[in-house]
Amino acid sequence: MKEHAVYRYLEGSAFAIFAIIIIAIILLFLNFIPLPLFKAALLILLISALIVFAILRKTIRQTINIAKSRLKTAEHKFRHIYESDVIGITIINFEGQVLDSNNAYLKMLGYSSDDVRKGAVSWAKLTPPEFADATNQALAQLKATGTCQPFEKQYYKKDGSRIWVLIGATVLQEDEKAGDAVTYIIDFTNVKEAESRAQKLQKLMLRQQQEFKSILMDAPAVITIRRGPELRYTFVNRTVMELSGKTDFSNKTHQEMFGKFNFEAQRTAQKVLATGEPEKETRRRLEYLDDHGKKRELYFNFILNPVFDSEGRVDGVAVFGFDVTDMVRANQEMAIGKERFEFIAEAMPHKVWMSDRDGYTTYVNKAWLDYVGADDISGFNWEEIIHPDDQGKAIADWQKALKNKTEFTAEQRYKRVADNEYRWHLIKAYPLKDENGELAMWVGVNTDIHDQKLQQRELVESHELLNKKDEFLSIASHELKTPLTNIKATVQLLDKAVTNDHRASLFSSKALQHIGRLERLISDLLDVSKINAGALVYNKTDISFGPFLKETVEDIQQQTFPHQIIIKSIADVTLHADKERIEQVLHNLISNAAKYSPNEKEIVVTSGVEGKQLVVSVRDFGIGIDDEAQQNLFTRYYRVEETSMKYQGLGIGLFICKEIIERHGGELKVESEPGKGSTFYFTLPLQEN
């Protein structure tokens, strides 16, 4: 029987009972009716009441069955949102300790749920040293404002490798005592080098952050987190507030909120706190006194999960509960839950779809309809939009997933109706099973990765070109080295054969200077080849850094360029390093400082000790470098576009310097502002006494 028919039967039955009661009352007050006739009329009314009662009982049973069915469907849909692998989601405390996470986050980093329970996953452990400051600032921002704006960083995976992620966080309840926040993580390692997409990813992250927070806060289920030995509330969602009529749950116990109660799930929560093992409660009865002293009774299905502190100890319980008290009201609530789910899907930038257990599409969101130019699902046809070259494999892989009831992942091209362009999409589909483990439906998300695919292809081509360039320059350098040596010897003989006041002496001196530059250039090209082959040799010895710095600067100063090199401070330390390579770095940095400050007269060199490191800086007051160019400054063959025609060079000097410094265990960095000059500084580790 359909839902509307059930309600009509209920309404009709109620009206019939009311009419029978009215007629019976009227008969009682009619004294002129003979007794036999009165008994006959009363008998008819009783029989009619029994018939109406039977109809009413059947109708109520059908109403309850309808509500149960909708409740089960809505419950599975909501649970799947958290358990699906669409995006990494974690719950953290204000120290950055991961307290809980979904499978997407665990797969992303190679950890297991046991690692999370043991406290082995935290921002501090996952974060490389160079991102420590940004991470600490993010945690401070989270504490201060309740929200951590999305930012880029790297994560250590469990195997020690790194991935780039975009991460944001928000406090689940704006209360400094709550101590819990939800984070949203996107792995975008493959698209990191495509800087032009960073803004789009950030906007996407912000939207998804708002959407998933809305899922938790507006979910049609009871969601609470309670901490400590007394299980005090640190988070409740909006559903809890609406059902209870209360809002101030912060740091209060269940008894403080609801008075005397007989709540078996409370004992189950204590069991989870003691054992650290999840528990389920089905149709658990809850009794409590409301503010007016009236006893209330509710029934819930609960899922209780342990919450862990930073040391891996269980210190709380997360509760997910589904109200099954009033079946009629439950039916209405589940309808609202379905609308919320579809509202979220409609608002998502991804293309979301659902299908039944046999793979027939039952729902697509607005993003899909707009993409294919359809008004509703009746105008949606997969075969018409899949690229012909992808159809065979797509159908075969989908049929295999249907047969095995396993997750489905693929990359396929779909035609966009607006311009008939086939664009690459990443497809992920997940089988949703009922309580008995039977396949109930499929939920899928298609993400447009077309631009990413093109960028990856361009990146590969760029690396083939760089390899060919390296090979050519390596061969050319080797071929030039021998004749250049002969030319240098000839010019040196000529320089010695003429007197200093002879005109030829000036030309020979100039020639030797140019030959020296060419020798350094060839040496740099050969170093690039050795770096790429991993064959650059370092001969490390103990160096008295103070005299070494003075001698190196004096040698560079004699190379007849107009700048004055000022040594502002000298660190009197012993350095274990390759003397010639460190001299090569200083020569390159000072030469660059002179090249890019043609209208200035001074270059400042400083050195000092910070902690266990030697810090050396070279500062000029020239043209400076903008932020965008600084990102690529140490990349092989990189030249700043605005200066590449004016200033000579191949863009390999800083690349070699960075390799030398890093192989010594240090760092090479730059601070610069256009029009105000640049400061290049490097650090080198000092040996402990």
Side-chain angles (χ1 to χ4, degrees):
M1 185 179 294
K2 294 185 178 179
E3 184 178 352
H4 293 298
V6 171
Y7 292 146
R8 285 199 299 270
Y9 275 115
L10 286 173
E11 184 177 4
S13 300
F15 179 77
I17 291 175
F18 178 75
I20 291 171
I21 294 172
I22 294 298
I23 293 172
I25 293 173
I26 294 173
L27 288 175
L28 289 174
F29 289 95
L30 295 179
N31 296 327
F32 58 86
I33 298 177
L35 183 59
L37 182 60
F38 175 80
K39 290 182 177 180
L42 187 60
L43 179 61
I44 293 172
L45 289 175
L46 289 174
I47 293 173
S48 299
L50 288 174
I51 294 172
V52 172
F53 177 77
I55 295 173
L56 181 60
R57 182 180 179 186
K58 180 180 179 181
T59 304
I60 291 174
R61 186 181 298 112
Q62 290 172 337
T63 303
I64 292 174
N65 289 336
I66 292 173
K68 285 181 178 179
S69 176
R70 293 202 173 186
L71 172 64
K72 183 179 294 185
T73 301
E75 181 178 341
H76 286 316
K77 287 182 180 178
F78 173 77
R79 188 178 299 152
H80 189 72
I81 292 173
Y82 181 81
E83 294 176 351
S84 67
D85 289 347
V86 175
I87 189 172
I89 306 173
T90 68
I91 295 177
I92 66 167
N93 59 21
F94 280 148
E95 285 70 46
Q97 181 70 34
V98 177
L99 309 176
D100 197 1
S101 68
N102 66 350
N103 288 335
Y105 184 80
L106 297 176
K107 290 180 180 179
M108 187 184 301
L109 297 177
Y111 283 95
S112 66
S113 56
D114 287 339
D115 294 326
V116 175
R117 284 197 294 269
K118 294 176 182 176
V121 186
S122 67
W123 281 17
K125 183 175 181 179
L126 297 174
T127 303
E130 62 267 31
F131 295 96
D133 290 343
T135 300
N136 292 333
Q137 291 175 6
L139 287 171
Q141 183 186 46
L142 184 63
K143 283 185 178 180
T145 67
T147 300
C148 164
Q149 295 297 322
F151 67 100
E152 298 175 9
K153 64 179 291 185
Q154 283 186 326
Y155 261 166
Y156 283 125
K157 296 179 67 175
K158 190 174 183 179
D159 62 8
S161 61
R162 294 188 181 194
I163 61 171
W164 276 100
V165 297
L166 188 65
I167 181 170
T170 183
V171 173
L172 288 174
Q173 182 175 350
E174 287 70 24
D175 189 329
E176 62 181 3
K177 297 181 181 180
D180 286 317
V182 62
T183 64
Y184 313 90
I185 301 94
I186 294 178
D187 178 356
F188 72 127
T189 304
N190 293 335
V191 297
K192 171 58 184 172
E193 295 184 3
E195 293 292 338
S196 62
R197 290 180 55 83
Q199 187 175 4
K200 294 181 181 178
L201 288 173
Q202 186 177 19
K203 291 180 179 178
L204 172 63
M205 185 62 190
L206 287 171
R207 287 198 299 270
Q208 291 179 334
Q209 177 178 334
Q210 295 167 355
E211 291 163 1
F212 279 92
K213 182 177 180 179
S214 176
I215 291 174
L216 294 176
M217 291 302 298
D218 296 333
V222 169
I223 302 177
T224 68
I225 297 177
R226 290 181 282 167
R227 308 295 288 271
E230 296 180 332
L231 291 178
R232 294 185 176 273
Y233 286 100
T234 59
F235 170 76
V236 297
N237 72 339
R238 191 168 288 113
T239 300
V240 177
M241 299 178 187
E242 291 174 352
L243 290 175
S244 65
K246 302 176 184 294
T247 57
D248 186 16
F249 283 77
S250 179
N251 205 35
K252 295 181 180 178
T253 66
H254 187 85
Q255 189 169 5
E256 288 172 348
M257 290 302 302
F258 301 110
K260 295 182 180 179
F261 63 92
N262 177 16
F263 186 21
E264 291 293 332
Q266 178 70 3
R267 288 192 285 272
T268 305
Q270 292 289 352
K271 180 180 178 182
V272 173
L273 184 66
T275 64
E277 296 295 330
E279 293 285 345
K280 292 183 179 179
E281 294 286 350
T282 304
R283 295 193 177 188
R284 181 62 64 184
R285 188 178 69 173
L286 180 154
E287 292 182 356
Y288 65 92
L289 298 177
D290 63 18
D291 294 338
H292 302 288
K294 184 177 180 181
K295 185 177 180 180
R296 296 192 62 188
E297 181 179 273
L298 298 173
Y299 287 87
F300 279 82
N301 289 346
F302 288 99
I303 300 174
L304 297 89
N305 290 312
V307 176
F308 301 87
D309 63 14
S310 60
E311 297 180 3
R313 296 174 299 194
V314 179
D315 75 335
V317 177
V319 180
F320 298 82
F322 303 91
D323 183 9
V324 294
T325 307
D326 187 338
M327 289 302 175
V328 174
R329 187 174 67 183
N331 180 60
Q332 296 171 346
E333 289 295 324
M334 291 306 103
I336 294 174
K338 179 182 178 183
E339 291 176 0
R340 286 176 176 170
F341 175 82
E342 292 184 354
F343 173 79
I344 293 170
E346 294 299 310
M348 290 182 68
H350 301 287
K351 301 174 181 67
V352 182
W353 54 273
M354 294 182 183
S355 70
D356 61 20
R357 58 185 300 171
D358 298 319
Y360 294 101
T361 305
T362 59
Y363 166 79
V364 294
N365 69 344
K366 185 177 183 298
W368 256 129
L369 295 176
D370 291 344
Y371 190 84
V372 301
D375 295 328
D376 53 46
I377 194 172
S378 62
F380 192 90
N381 190 326
W382 290 104
E383 294 184 0
E384 291 181 355
I385 62 173
I386 299 180
H387 193 284
D389 294 344
D390 298 339
Q391 284 189 5
K393 187 175 187 304
I395 294 174
D397 291 346
W398 178 232
Q399 291 299 325
K400 182 178 179 181
L402 288 173
K403 180 180 179 181
N404 298 330
K405 302 177 183 179
T406 55
E407 293 182 7
F408 173 74
T409 302
E411 292 184 3
Q412 298 167 2
R413 288 165 289 182
Y414 295 98
K415 181 169 66 176
R416 184 169 59 189
V417 69
D419 53 9
N420 289 326
E421 179 186 10
Y422 284 97
R423 297 184 63 82
W424 283 101
H425 285 73
L426 174 64
I427 303 96
K428 285 185 174 291
Y430 307 93
L432 181 62
K433 300 180 180 180
D434 59 22
E435 292 181 346
N436 299 321
E438 295 295 327
L439 180 63
M441 60 184 297
W442 292 82
V443 176
V445 178
N446 291 30
T447 304
D448 190 322
I449 59 170
H450 190 75
D451 294 338
Q452 176 184 338
K453 293 278 287 188
L454 295 181
Q455 289 161 2
Q456 288 175 343
R457 186 180 305 167
E458 292 175 358
L459 183 62
V460 171
E461 293 175 355
S462 174
H463 282 304
E464 287 171 357
L465 290 175
L466 282 177
N467 290 337
K468 290 181 179 179
K469 187 174 183 179
D470 288 340
E471 182 179 358
F472 169 76
L473 291 177
S474 176
I475 295 173
S477 301
H478 281 287
E479 293 296 328
L480 288 173
K481 191 172 183 180
T482 300
L484 183 64
T485 302
N486 294 333
I487 294 173
K488 181 178 181 180
T490 302
V491 175
Q492 287 175 336
L493 290 174
L494 177 62
D495 185 58
K496 292 180 179 180
V498 297
T499 59
N500 291 336
D501 58 351
H502 195 282
R503 186 177 181 184
S505 176
L506 176 62
F507 294 126
S508 62
S509 297
K510 289 290 184 181
L512 287 174
Q513 291 178 16
H514 291 302
I515 289 172
R517 294 195 192 100
L518 188 55
E519 281 183 321
R520 287 193 295 273
L521 176 59
I522 292 174
S523 177
D524 286 346
L525 290 173
L526 291 174
D527 283 346
V528 170
S529 300
K530 294 176 182 178
I531 290 172
N532 293 334
L536 194 61
V537 178
Y538 295 89
N539 298 312
K540 296 182 179 180
T541 59
D542 288 338
I543 305 171
S544 180
F545 185 75
F548 164 75
L549 180 62
K550 289 181 180 179
E551 180 182 348
T552 301
V553 170
E554 289 174 358
D555 290 342
I556 298 173
Q557 184 72 76
Q558 294 174 3
Q559 295 179 9
T560 65
F561 57 84
H563 296 75
Q564 181 182 2
I565 307 174
I566 300 174
I567 302 179
K568 192 173 182 180
S569 61
I570 297 178
D572 187 15
V573 295
T574 299
L575 183 68
H576 187 70
D578 187 317
K579 183 176 181 181
E580 292 184 0
R581 293 299 182 187
I582 301 302
E583 181 180 353
Q584 181 180 354
V585 172
L586 285 169
H587 190 285
N588 190 290
L589 295 181
I590 295 175
S591 297
N592 281 352
K595 181 194 299 185
Y596 294 107
S597 56
N599 299 323
E600 302 298 328
K601 300 299 182 184
E602 292 183 351
I603 297 172
V604 178
V605 178
T606 62
S607 63
V609 176
E610 294 182 5
K612 298 180 180 180
Q613 291 185 322
L614 170 68
V615 181
V616 182
S617 66
V618 177
R619 182 183 180 188
D620 66 65
F621 304 91
I623 62 176
I625 309 166
D626 61 33
D627 292 340
E628 182 178 357
Q630 290 182 38
Q631 302 297 323
N632 301 299
L633 200 59
F634 301 104
T635 305
R636 180 179 35 165
Y637 303 126
Y638 177 77
R639 302 292 313 286
V640 179
E641 185 176 352
E642 292 80 2
T643 61
S644 59
M645 298 301 294
K646 185 176 180 181
Y647 301 98
Q648 296 179 350
L650 291 179
I652 58 176
L654 291 177
F655 169 74
I656 296 173
C657 290
K658 185 175 179 64
E659 167 69 18
I660 293 173
I661 294 300
E662 289 182 349
R663 287 294 296 273
H664 279 77
E667 288 185 298
L668 174 61
K669 296 184 178 180
V670 62
E671 294 178 356
S672 183
E673 184 176 350
K676 295 186 178 181
S678 305
T679 300
F680 285 82
Y681 60 95
F682 61 86
T683 62
L684 292 172
L686 295 173
Q687 291 182 316
E688 296 187 11
N689 297 329

